[in-house]
Amino acid sequence: MHAEPVMSSRRLFSRHASLVVGLASVLAGSPALAQGAAPALPPPIEAPPPSRAMTIAEALAYAHAHQPAIHAALSRISERMAQATIPSGRWLPTIAVTAQLYGMTANNTTGSYLSTEYMDVPRIGGTASQSQSTASLSPYASTLVGAGLLQEVFDFGRIGAQRAAADDLVIVEKRRAEVVRLDIDFGVEGAYFSVLAAKAIILASDQAYERSRVHRDLAKRGVDSGLRSPIELTRAEADLARFDVGRIKARGGLALAQNVFAASMGAPDSAIDTSGEAPQPSDMPTMAQAVQMAASRDPFLAGAVAQLKASEQRTRAVGAELRPDLSLTATLTGRAGGAPPSSALQPTPGGGGWLPDVPNWDVGLVLSWPLFDGTISARRDAAQATEQVRRDEIDVVREQEVAQVRQAYVKVGVARSALVALENAVTAAHANYDQADARFRAGIGNAVELADAEAVRTDAEIQRALGQFELAQARATFGRAIAEGL
């Protein structure tokens, strides 16, 4: 239907998702770091802080006003509307002028000028009709100046059919613009949730680092007092370094997410932060209701239907070219020819044909009717074939739409169920960590046991953040499928 001139917002959304998933894998830790000594880390490169923060409503409103893709879509509508006025211009009069100067022979001819595209010049007067034996190759001057008017009187519906076809193409472009707007909204929503997910991962990584630092200090005091073996301290140092790397990369991921959030809105800022709480999605309809909503709202399907109507009007417009045409013609001319007139009683115009001093005017109605034109017939057949293509495309779009709605609906249900399980996993991980922490503080647990509990807790918290992101992503995908939004 339509090739996007800029990066698709759906690809942007996938980019957000892969960004957060990548952060999760980083924060899960590296086995090499967990088992070895802490490496020396260079000072982190600080990204510029966000210049401002926006709620999801503010971000969507800003994108509608500033996103170049939306501006381009509106410009295409204006272009198509301007093109739709072209057929109606044929009802306006055509006014033209011409000036002609020739040197020519005058054997067996009464035409001493050329017809022009924009005015009718009737044939008036004549020159001598020479026999073959007295033919002469001597040239004579011939001049003509004139002004003419052509006005459509009645077109038997031809112009109306062409205007109707052009108007339907305007509707097609409007539906495409609606698709662009929905995709931009989808991209902004995805970027917004990516920033929220990155913040949740930062919170989990910071808390894991602080807990690891406390345990490192406890292990150091135990080693200094001789109550613990040195391996307890080296393991704690390795865990601390691992979580330090994780929180640094988490902040880098947040900076990237904020950068993409700004880009999704078309903002000039290098990064924009989120503000406010995540919006609560509307209640989910039933599967059958969702399919009906998509069929009635989705501009992509509406655009396919509009394409079919435009093709039908195009077929009518092509066929209408075989209808009669009635037009008014009027000209005012001055002309002269230097050849001898056909009658000896007629004087030769003064100036020898170089001065167009013989005036003439005319007004007339012209009826023309192309009874058969093979090219027009072939174009009409081709237009009918295009109609069938558009009908088949509508069936394809409907089938894809139903499949997308059903898949998005199922993904929302799976994401909601998974989030409940992830919340339970976080609760169990906290309980396991509390027991391991108590055992370590009492001196009956070791660093390995505590590190495992810490890893389980941190991973559970990160997975919960990802689960929240996946639910938001699935709900946004479902909203896009039914053209409703969140």
Side-chain angles (χ1 to χ4, degrees):
M1 286 256 321
H2 181 56
E4 295 293 335
V6 296
M7 176 183 288
S8 170
S9 55
R10 301 187 187 188
R11 283 189 289 155
L12 279 175
F13 193 83
S14 300
R15 180 176 168 186
H16 311 328
S18 59
L19 169 64
V20 176
V21 172
L23 285 175
S25 63
V26 168
L27 293 176
S30 167
L33 285 177
Q35 297 174 6
L41 297 177
I45 299 176
E46 295 293 337
S51 57
R52 50 182 164 165
M54 292 187 183
T55 64
I56 184 64
E58 292 171 342
L60 291 173
Y62 187 95
H64 293 168
H66 299 88
Q67 238 295 338
I70 292 181
H71 289 175
L74 295 177
S75 296
R76 287 192 292 270
I77 293 176
S78 298
E79 176 195 20
R80 186 62 69 180
M81 292 176 67
Q83 291 178 352
T85 63
I86 293 176
S88 298
R90 296 175 185 172
W91 287 112
L92 300 176
T94 299
I95 301 174
V97 297
T98 184
Q100 302 178 17
L101 172 62
Y102 302 99
M104 64 185 72
T105 59
N107 298 317
N108 293 314
T109 178
T110 57
S112 57
Y113 52 84
L114 296 180
S115 297
T116 65
E117 181 181 358
Y118 300 104
M119 60 180 290
D120 296 329
V121 182
R123 195 167 79 177
I124 301 172
T127 59
S129 179
Q130 304 283 348
S131 66
Q132 186 68 27
S133 59
T134 60
S136 172
L137 297 180
S138 299
Y140 300 95
S142 179
T143 58
L144 180 140
V145 295
L149 179 144
L150 296 175
Q151 173 64 57
E152 186 73 40
V153 176
F154 190 66
D155 70 331
F156 296 86
R158 184 182 66 259
I159 295 176
Q162 293 171 348
R163 179 59 192 260
D167 288 340
D168 280 336
L169 290 178
V170 174
I171 297 175
V172 171
E173 204 60 59
K174 288 181 178 179
R175 297 295 176 264
R176 288 175 174 173
E178 292 174 7
V179 172
V180 171
R181 184 188 62 79
L182 284 174
D183 286 344
I184 292 299
D185 290 353
F186 185 64
V188 171
E189 291 164 1
Y192 181 88
F193 290 124
S194 291
V195 175
L196 293 182
K199 288 181 176 180
I201 292 176
I202 285 179
L203 178 62
S205 65
D206 284 345
Q207 291 176 346
Y209 177 83
E210 289 301 320
R211 290 192 300 267
S212 181
R213 186 180 58 81
V214 171
H215 295 149
R216 190 276 313 273
D217 294 342
L218 287 175
K220 186 176 185 306
R221 287 196 293 270
V223 171
D224 292 343
S225 63
L227 298 177
R228 293 185 179 275
S229 63
I231 195 174
E232 299 280 352
L233 177 58
T234 56
R235 177 56 190 264
E237 291 282 3
D239 288 336
L240 183 63
R242 178 175 57 146
F243 290 119
D244 192 28
V245 172
R247 68 175 187 160
I248 291 173
K249 291 191 175 183
R251 280 171 171 74
L254 175 60
L256 289 176
Q258 291 168 338
N259 179 270
V260 176
F261 185 43
S264 69
M265 292 182 282
D269 311 56
S270 60
I272 293 180
D273 197 9
T274 58
S275 65
E277 297 182 356
Q280 295 297 323
S282 58
D283 294 335
M284 292 281 290
T286 64
M287 179 79 77
Q289 290 172 336
V291 172
Q292 292 177 354
M293 292 170 66
S296 62
R297 296 180 180 179
D298 187 11
F300 194 80
L301 177 59
V305 175
Q307 281 275 25
L308 172 60
K309 292 182 179 179
S311 296
E312 292 173 344
Q313 293 290 358
R314 174 63 179 166
T315 302
R316 287 186 57 240
V318 173
E321 294 180 17
L322 291 173
R323 297 176 185 177
D325 181 79
L326 181 64
S327 61
L328 171 70
T329 178
T331 56
L332 175 63
T333 62
R335 67 186 78 188
S342 57
S343 173
L345 299 178
Q346 295 176 342
T348 302
W354 293 96
L355 181 64
D357 59 354
V358 180
N360 282 285
W361 65 269
D362 67 89
V363 176
L365 286 174
V366 179
L367 175 68
S368 59
W369 191 347
L371 297 177
F372 176 77
D373 188 317
T375 300
I376 294 177
S377 298
R379 288 169 53 212
R380 182 179 56 193
D381 294 342
Q384 290 174 344
T386 302
E387 282 185 41
Q388 187 59 45
V389 173
R390 297 291 178 258
R391 291 190 183 92
D392 294 339
E393 286 178 347
I394 290 176
D395 294 337
V396 173
V397 171
R398 283 200 178 105
E399 182 179 358
Q400 292 177 344
E401 183 178 76
V402 171
Q404 290 174 356
V405 170
R406 289 174 177 171
Q407 292 173 9
Y409 192 94
V410 171
K411 287 181 179 179
V412 172
V414 172
R416 283 180 172 174
S417 300
L419 187 58
V420 173
L422 290 171
E423 292 286 358
N424 294 334
V426 169
T427 301
H430 281 196
N432 177 63
Y433 171 81
D434 291 341
Q435 293 177 5
D437 181 60
R439 286 171 54 84
F440 185 80
R441 292 176 183 274
I444 58 177
N446 56 41
V448 174
E449 180 183 273
L450 182 61
D452 289 342
E454 180 62 61
V456 170
R457 174 176 176 171
T458 304
D459 181 69
E461 292 173 347
I462 292 175
Q463 292 302 320
R464 178 178 61 183
L466 289 175
Q468 293 169 344
F469 171 78
E470 289 172 357
L471 176 57
Q473 177 189 16
R475 186 60 182 83
T477 303
F478 176 75
R480 174 61 187 87
I482 62 175
E484 181 188 48
L486 296 175

